[in-house]
């Protein structure tokens, strides 16, 4: 039997990985990081993994794509489209771009316009992506390559599994990965005929969810295997608290559901070779981290004494991420010797509250509303500790970046945060396994206590350095995750060597 880490010469598994975003081409969150890293890591294991995503503005040029399929008419009505083939920049991953200019060539984001409103035709935009993914798999196109596994991600490609099921000759197996159950892609049932979906599928045992046509439910119901991005979240979504109405279905499917923790890109997030930061450093040159703290404070106009704890935060400003918990805790937190650097965007009200605090306390609170890759790296390197008080967190990437940067994360005990951060309990500190501070309750008071606990550690330089060094030595590579996905694919595909 082949070892899962060894490429299988001549028997590469063929996988079509369908996604709606990919770093550095287009990104709204962690799905983009995963879509960049996982196909490449699978490729390194010998899997022939190709990506399919929409041709948003500029992408055709960015990947040097050439036309391979023209004049496709995936639906009985509606737009024609074409498929172009290219290569992901700085990688060997082949990428197919689905081009339908009237659907994807728009200013704004992949899901919303510039004002933050969902595109009104998202059902069509991502129904088309799902439909074409299924057609490429079952040979309903002139594409020579045939995948064995269709790996779809989140609601945007959830319908692909339903389209596969509708094809009786289909031998392709499907995997559906949930990156966030809170985004469900629920639309009016009027879309059923327009998306060529028979009404027989609009049932509780199918696509119907509280009288909506649910794209995520399609993925959860019709896919052969389900994954989510951490073992803890895989358990949590089977409970009423975090199952968001889909927990019954997920409990029913528990034997097909597993949690595979995401990795991080160690080249992109490497404090020893990060082009965005003022001073590179590593475990052996940890004192050099201080230059990044100084540069960050100066750049943002903060007045941070050496003994102050500089807290960093980079995230979408939403209920999920607990941005409001930090805001509510600020009056209490500011009684302590600490300062905050916050980068993010999201809910207008939360953005406004952050702006107001920054205006009120410019010496202690710096806020940058917007998306800024370089600043995200500078905050990871320049902060003393990193705040991630998420109410729920399927995996979370920033806590892993923080550990790699010697910036211990303060996280709530949920989802992937549980699976990646070890609380600085006395026993974990004694055994040098602690990597951060974990707290339980989603309340401002619990957050303040966690920050106090962090400050107490920070005031003990030897303990603090131990926490930093243990975090920096954690293994969060994509190889480990890719091996787990490869094992999953192998359970779906007969081993050609035994045929
Ligand atoms: P989610 O996908 O739920 O937003 P993750 O932690 O998985 O959370 O991934 C978020 C990713 O987006 C990380 O790579 C993070 O650094 C990045 N990110 C989030 N907000 C910003 C921002 N305002 N500027 C730059 N990067 C950001
Ligand atoms: C989602 C989740 C986040 C996860 C990311 C990538 O956006 O909110 O926790 O890390 O997907 O899987």
């Amino acid at each position: 039997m082949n070892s899962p880490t060894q490429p299988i010469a001549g028997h590469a598994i063929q996988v079509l990985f369908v996604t709606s975003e990919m770093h550095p081409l287009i990104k709204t969150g962690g799905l983009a990081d995963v879509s960049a890293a996982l196909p490449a890591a699978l490729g390194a294991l010998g899997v022939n993994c190709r990506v399919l995503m929409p041709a948003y503005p500029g992408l055709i040029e960015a990947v040097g794509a050439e036309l391979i399929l023209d004049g496709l008419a995936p639906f009985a009505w509606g737009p024609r489209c074409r498929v172009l083939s290219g290569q992901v920049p700085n990688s060997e991953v082949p990428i197919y771009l689905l081009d339908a200019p009237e659907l994807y060539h728009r200013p704004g984001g992949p899901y919303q316009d510039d004002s933050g409103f969902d595109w009104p035709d998202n059902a069509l935009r991502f129904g088309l992506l799902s439909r074409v993914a299924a057609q490429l798999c079952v040979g309903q196109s002139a594409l020579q390559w045939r995948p064995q596994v269709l790996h779809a991600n989140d609601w945007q490609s959830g319908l692909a599994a339903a389209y596969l099921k509708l094809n009786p000759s289909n031998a392709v197996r499907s995997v559906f990965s949930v990156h966030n159950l809170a985004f469900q892609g629920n639309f009016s049932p009027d879309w059923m005929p327009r998306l060529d979906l028979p009404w027989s599928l609009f049932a509780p045992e199918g696509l119907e969810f509280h009288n909506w046509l649910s794209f995520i439910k399609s993925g959860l119901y019709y896919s052969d295997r389900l994954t989510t991005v951490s073992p803890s979240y895989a358990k949590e979504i089977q409970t009423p608290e975090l199952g968001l109405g889909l927990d019954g279905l997920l409990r029913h499917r528990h034997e097909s559901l597993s949690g595979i923790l995401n990795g991080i890109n160690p080249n992109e997030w490497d404090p020893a070779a990060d082009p965005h930061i003022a001073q590179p450093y590593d475990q052996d040159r940890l004192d050099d981290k201080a230059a990044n703290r100084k540069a960050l404070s100066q750049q943002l106009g903060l007045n941070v004494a050496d003994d102050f704890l500089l807290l960093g935060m980079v995230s979408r400003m939403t209920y999920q991420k607990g941005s409001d918990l930090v805001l509510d805790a600020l009056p209490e937190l500011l009684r302590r010797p600490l300062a905050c650097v916050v980068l993010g965007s999201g809910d207008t009200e939360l953005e406004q509250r952050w702006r107001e605090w920054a205006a009120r306390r410019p010496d202690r609170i710096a806020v940058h509303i917007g998306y800024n890759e370089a600043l995200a790296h500078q905050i990871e390197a320049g902060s003393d500790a990193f705040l991630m008080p998420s109410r729920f967190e399927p995996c979370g990437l920033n806590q892993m970046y923080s550990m790699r940067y010697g910036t211990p994360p303060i996280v709530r005990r949920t989802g992937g945060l549980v699976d990646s951060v070890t609380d600085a309990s006395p026993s974990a500190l004694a055994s040098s396994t602690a990597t951060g501070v974990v707290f339980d309750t989603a309340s401002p008071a619990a957050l303040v206590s966690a920050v106090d606990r962090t400050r107490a550690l920070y005031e003990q330089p030897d303990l603090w350095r131990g926490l930093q060094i243990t975090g920096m030595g954690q293994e969060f590579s994509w190889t480990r995750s890719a091996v787990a996905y490869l094992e999953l694919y192998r359970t779906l595909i007969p081993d050609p060597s035994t045929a």
Side-chain angles (χ1 to χ4, degrees):
M1 186 170 157
N2 290 299
S3 146
T5 53
Q6 296 302 312
I8 341 167
H11 298 307
I13 295 180
Q14 314 289 319
V15 177
L16 182 66
F17 188 93
V18 193
T19 183
S20 54
E21 49 183 278
M22 178 194 262
H23 178 73
L25 301 172
I26 182 153
K27 170 166 166 177
T28 69
L31 173 60
D33 301 60
V34 176
S35 302
L38 179 57
L42 285 165
L45 295 178
V47 176
N48 184 347
C49 182
R50 305 186 184 187
V51 174
L52 172 71
M53 67 181 289
Y56 303 115
L59 262 58
I60 293 176
E61 298 73 29
V63 307
E66 289 177 7
L67 185 64
I68 53 165
L69 297 174
D70 204 0
L72 301 181
F75 296 124
W77 69 285
R80 291 191 167 245
C81 58
R82 50 187 203 147
V83 174
L84 298 96
S85 168
Q87 194 163 314
V88 175
N90 304 319
S91 127
E92 292 180 359
V93 175
I95 181 166
Y96 296 121
L97 292 180
L98 172 60
D99 192 32
E102 65 263 54
L103 299 186
Y104 306 127
H105 287 205
R106 297 176 182 176
Y111 320 122
Q112 297 178 330
D113 64 21
D114 277 330
S115 313
F117 290 105
D118 287 353
W119 297 112
D121 55 354
N122 272 345
L124 176 59
R125 298 172 74 238
F126 295 105
L128 187 80
L129 176 68
S130 302
R131 174 72 159 203
V132 170
Q135 290 186 335
L136 297 183
C137 287
V138 300
Q140 291 171 342
S141 78
L143 188 70
Q144 296 304 313
W145 178 68
R146 287 281 173 280
Q148 295 164 291
V149 176
L150 187 159
H151 187 158
N153 293 277
D154 275 351
W155 72 264
Q156 293 88 344
S157 45
L159 271 192
Y163 287 124
L164 272 190
K165 281 285 173 227
L166 286 169
N167 190 306
S169 61
N170 146 45
V172 176
R173 312 305 302 278
S174 53
V175 174
F176 183 62
S177 292
V178 177
H179 298 263
N180 195 332
L181 198 68
F183 299 113
Q184 302 187 334
N186 296 331
F187 299 98
S188 159
D190 295 347
W191 282 103
M192 290 289 293
R194 287 192 266 171
L195 296 175
D196 283 357
L197 293 163
W199 281 110
S200 57
L201 266 50
F202 192 70
E205 289 78 32
L207 301 174
E208 187 267 343
F209 183 57
H210 296 290
N211 220 22
W212 297 102
L213 156 60
S214 173
F215 279 35
I216 201 165
K217 193 174 167 203
S218 167
L220 298 177
Y221 191 83
Y222 289 108
S223 303
D224 295 312
R225 290 283 188 283
L226 308 177
T227 72
T228 184
V229 286
S230 69
S232 288
Y233 193 60
K235 287 188 203 125
E236 290 166 355
I237 56 179
Q238 296 178 54
T239 67
E241 292 74 38
L242 289 180
L244 301 171
L246 291 160
D247 45 295
L249 172 56
L250 287 159
R251 282 194 299 278
H252 178 68
R253 296 224 54 198
H254 74 276
E255 286 182 357
S256 307
L257 168 66
S258 57
I260 301 176
L261 194 71
N262 289 332
I264 63 174
N265 181 336
N267 301 324
E268 202 149 314
W269 294 93
D270 178 5
D274 186 332
H276 301 296
I277 67 176
Q279 171 73 52
Y281 61 98
D282 59 22
Q283 274 142 293
D284 302 324
R285 292 174 290 154
L286 199 43
D287 289 340
D288 289 351
K289 187 175 186 324
N292 295 297
R293 183 184 195 271
K294 195 168 169 203
L296 180 68
S297 312
Q298 276 175 354
Q299 178 189 337
L300 300 174
L302 288 173
N303 184 5
V304 190
D306 283 349
D307 60 342
F308 270 44
L309 184 72
L310 181 57
L311 295 169
M313 195 168 180
V314 179
S315 79
R316 292 182 286 114
M317 288 178 175
T318 60
Y319 177 84
Q320 172 190 347
K321 300 292 178 181
S323 210
D324 56 314
L325 295 176
V326 187
L327 283 159
D328 290 346
L330 275 182
E332 197 52 46
L333 286 177
L334 288 172
R335 294 166 186 263
R336 276 92 174 149
L338 56 78
C340 297
V341 179
V342 177
L343 166 64
S345 62
D347 295 353
T348 321
E349 190 201 321
L350 294 172
E351 289 181 358
Q352 187 52 28
R353 287 181 68 193
W354 275 115
R355 278 198 191 94
E356 283 164 15
W357 270 107
R360 211 177 301 156
R361 298 304 305 268
D363 55 329
R364 306 272 298 275
I365 301 181
V367 174
H368 184 98
I369 303 290
Y371 187 89
N372 187 325
E373 194 75 32
L375 185 56
H377 286 247
Q378 288 150 8
I379 292 175
E380 291 291 5
S383 308
D384 296 315
F386 192 88
L387 269 182
M388 216 160 155
S390 307
R391 285 195 170 78
F392 66 95
E393 195 61 76
C395 178
L397 299 172
N398 277 106
Q399 80 280 13
M400 300 197 242
Y401 302 152
S402 305
M403 285 183 261
R404 188 114 209 273
Y405 278 64
T407 307
I410 303 171
V411 304
R412 208 176 82 70
R413 195 182 303 283
T414 186
L417 302 176
V418 177
D419 297 335
S420 55
V421 181
T422 303
D423 181 52
S425 64
S427 63
L429 284 168
S431 60
S432 298
T433 51
T435 57
V437 170
V438 184
F439 68 101
D440 286 287
T441 313
S443 72
L447 174 66
V448 172
S449 303
V451 171
D452 283 343
R453 210 146 63 81
T454 310
R455 283 180 42 246
L457 293 164
Y458 185 64
E459 283 162 9
Q460 302 173 71
D462 289 346
L463 271 189
W464 187 255
R465 186 166 283 250
L467 198 61
Q468 290 178 293
I469 301 250
T470 307
M472 292 175 94
Q474 296 299 296
E475 156 75 1
F476 291 123
S477 88
W478 269 104
T479 308
R480 175 192 44 78
S481 317
V483 165
Y485 282 102
L486 175 53
E487 283 171 350
L488 182 76
Y489 299 153
R490 288 209 179 132
T491 64
L492 290 169
I493 299 172
D495 182 351
S497 61
T498 59

